[in-house]
């Protein structure tokens, strides 16, 4: 049996170089590096993220899908700006752009707006692009609405699900069979996701910051009115058709958090998935959590962009299949 | 038969879809940002050979198809079925109908081995070896000394296949043929 890594030694070195640049960047900005547990008693309630569980002497625990909860507990305790580079796990996610275990860079800045965080991400990636000598342009800032308008000539926030379904069947006849017979809000999200992933995402080759996602996709971001539309206050960065980063103006309202967790679990039940109890330690941290913006960056995908690699396998020493 | 979930869909896996056995060629995992994951799967229908694409919800499953491939020796045809014999020592014989042998019909030669695909123990496809040696049954007389020129002529082989051969080839000679392109490769080494 072969012991050799999937990634070339050149890429292994490139990863080390990338991590060094990132750490120097945060050092220069007085954002401190933290380490929190990878294994925890609770996990996300998100209906579309599956956690891996581990049997421990304390009972079932979960491998983190992101370090968000623990980092928010630190922020609530007054840590100030913090970052972490750590493994994250998502059950069942395996493909050219997914590996069940991946590396996440996550950072939080108290008293910072979403656009302030956008500027910071832009500086960091620009620094990396320059260091690696790859083509870089200032990210285009666009809304989810604008992208749908440009590609499909419709407003994704005010559209009939039937109209979207007809469009999906016409544009992507080979990609609609999984939509099935779900109903209501979930179906609307499923069709919007299909249109976005098949019709828009892959075309975002130059760097883009996308804002104004539907409120149903808010996760732990605040929601609010922007340009007369109720949207989630978050943004995603795309580069080479890949989702690279995901940022929130972090939700501070604990009753809203409870409400969203209940809704998530209702959906999980409908989908036949196990329900997930809301992390009570996160809940009790909410009242002390300062206004902050937080962001998660997929380090492995970013390395793909910086090294012009086609698949995650090319940038991982030992991808899941040979781990 | 076991059933397989989308994350077990690997290239080469045989599954049942709409009543037909299919072979999975490619499985692309798609996970829209906050949305539900799905798989875009390319597969070949093993009955009609068509390749098609469709999506499945992550976690959805399909029943496995009882599809096996055997090296089998062609024995004879009774006009309705083409009979093949297993080479594993069992001497078991199975009859393939015209639909199953159609793509290899013109390359069927007794005692030659073929890859026979069985679904629920019935042959559904017969694939010829990439190269086969066949005797020339009929062709115009060969031109002596014309071994360097590039001209060709049609030749009918013992199986009925018609291929283009160089002008110097004669009836009774055994030729090596690429069955994928129906092209003459050379005289068989005797």
């Amino acid at each position: 049996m072969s012991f050799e890594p999937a990634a070339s030694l050149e890429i292994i070195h490139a990863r080390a170089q990338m991590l060094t640049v990132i750490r120097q960047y945060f050092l220069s900005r007085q954002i401190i590096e933290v380490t929190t547990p990878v294994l925890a008693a609770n996990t996300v309630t998100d209906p579309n993220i599956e956690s891996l569980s581990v049997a421990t002497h304390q009972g079932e625990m979960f491998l983190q899908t992101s370090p968000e909860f623990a980092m928010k507990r630190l922020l609530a305790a007054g840590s100030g700006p913090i970052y972490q580079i750590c493994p994250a796990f998502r059950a069942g996610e395996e493909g050219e752009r997914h590996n069940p275990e991946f590396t996440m860079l996550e950072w939080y800045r108290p008293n910072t707006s979403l656009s302030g965080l956008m500027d910071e991400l832009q500086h960091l990636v620009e620094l990396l692009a320059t260091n690696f000598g790859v083509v870089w342009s200032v990210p285009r800032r666009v809304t989810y609405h604008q992208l749908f308008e440009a590609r499909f000539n419709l407003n994704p926030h005010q559209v009939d699900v039937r109209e979207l379904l007809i469009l999906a069947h016409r544009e992507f006849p080979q990609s609609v069979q999984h939509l099935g017979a779900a109903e209501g809000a979930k179906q609307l999200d499923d069709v919007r996701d299909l249109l976005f992933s098949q019709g828009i995402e892959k075309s975002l080759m130059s760097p883009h910051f996308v804002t104004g996602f539907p409120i149903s996709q808010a996760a732990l971001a605040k929601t609010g009115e922007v340009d007369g539309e109720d949207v989630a206050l978050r943004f995603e960065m795309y580069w080479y058709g890949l989702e690279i980063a995901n940022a929130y103006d972090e939700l501070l309202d604990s009753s809203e958090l409870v409400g969203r967790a209940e809704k998530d679990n209702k959906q999980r039940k409908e989908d036949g998935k196990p329900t997930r109890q809301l992390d009570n330690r996160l809940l009790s941290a909410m009242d002390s959590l300062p206004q902050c913006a937080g962001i998660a960056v997929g380090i492995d995908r970013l390395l793909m962009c910086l090294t012009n690699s086609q698949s995650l396998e090319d940038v991982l020493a030992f991808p899941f299949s040979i781990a | 038969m076991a059933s397989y979930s989308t994350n077990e869909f690997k290239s080469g896996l045989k599954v049942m879809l709409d009543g037909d056995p299919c072979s999975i060629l490619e499985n692309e995992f798609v996970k829209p940002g906050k949305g539900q994951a799905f798989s875009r799967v390319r597969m070949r229908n093993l009955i009609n050979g068509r390749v098609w694409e469709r999506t499945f919800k992550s976690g959805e499953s399909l029943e496995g198809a009882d599809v096996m491939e055997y090296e089998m020796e062609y024995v004879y045809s009774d006009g309705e079925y083409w009979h093949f014999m297993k080479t594993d020592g069992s001497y078991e014989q199975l009859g393939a109908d015209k639909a199953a042998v159609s793509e290899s019909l013109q390359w069927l030669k007794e005692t030659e081995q073929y890859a026979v695909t069985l679904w629920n123990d019935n042959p559904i496809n017969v694939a010829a070896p990439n190269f086969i040696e066949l005797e020339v049954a009929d062709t115009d007389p060969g031109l002596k000394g014309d071994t360097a020129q590039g001209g060709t002529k049609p030749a009918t082989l013992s199986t009925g296949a018609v291929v283009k051969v160089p002008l110097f080839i004669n009836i009774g000679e055994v030729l090596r043929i690429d069955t994928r392109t129906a092209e003459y490769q050379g005289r068989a080494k005797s």
Side-chain angles (χ1 to χ4, degrees), chain A residues 48 92-95 98 174-178 186 190 193-194 197-198 202 217 219 234 243 246 248, chain B residues 7 10 27-40 51-58 60:
Chain A
N48 294 315
E93 301 193 4
E94 193 183 4
H98 295 83
Q174 293 173 321
S175 301
V176 291
Q177 293 76 17
H178 68 287
K186 168 148 170 50
D190 284 350
D193 285 342
L194 170 72
S197 66
Q198 302 304 301
K202 286 174 185 166
Q217 300 173 19
R234 47 179 280 244
E243 181 200 335
N246 181 21
Y248 301 165
Chain B
N7 50 24
K10 298 267 150 68
N27 175 15
E28 182 196 357
F29 177 81
V30 185
K31 172 81 169 73
K34 293 285 163 203
Q36 172 186 266
F38 62 91
S39 288
R40 173 159 339 83
V51 173
W52 49 310
E53 252 183 69
R54 55 163 289 167
T55 52
F56 296 88
K57 232 184 273 184
S58 257
E60 221 177 312

Side-chain angles (χ1 to χ4, degrees), chain B residues 4 13 17 25 57-58 62 88 120 130 148 155-156 163:
Chain B
Y4 297 92
L13 183 73
L17 190 69
L25 302 173
K57 232 184 273 184
S58 257
L62 289 176
D88 56 5
N120 295 332
N130 291 344
T156 306
V163 298

Side-chain angles (χ1 to χ4, degrees), chain B residues 74 76-84 94-102 105 108 123:
Chain B
Y74 173 58
Y76 70 100
S77 170
D78 59 21
E80 190 179 358
Y81 288 97
W82 284 259
H83 297 267
F84 293 83
L94 291 166
D97 65 13
K98 188 155 188 176
V101 294
S102 62
L105 204 51
L108 288 183

Side-chain angles (χ1 to χ4, degrees), chain A residues 157 189 192 212-219 221-224 229-233 260 263:
Chain A
H157 302 294
D189 272 326
R192 276 195 298 224
F213 286 91
I215 47 171
S216 56
Q217 300 173 19
K222 282 178 189 160
T223 58
E229 223 107 54
D230 280 331
V231 294
L233 300 179
R260 289 190 195 176
K263 210 171 151 214

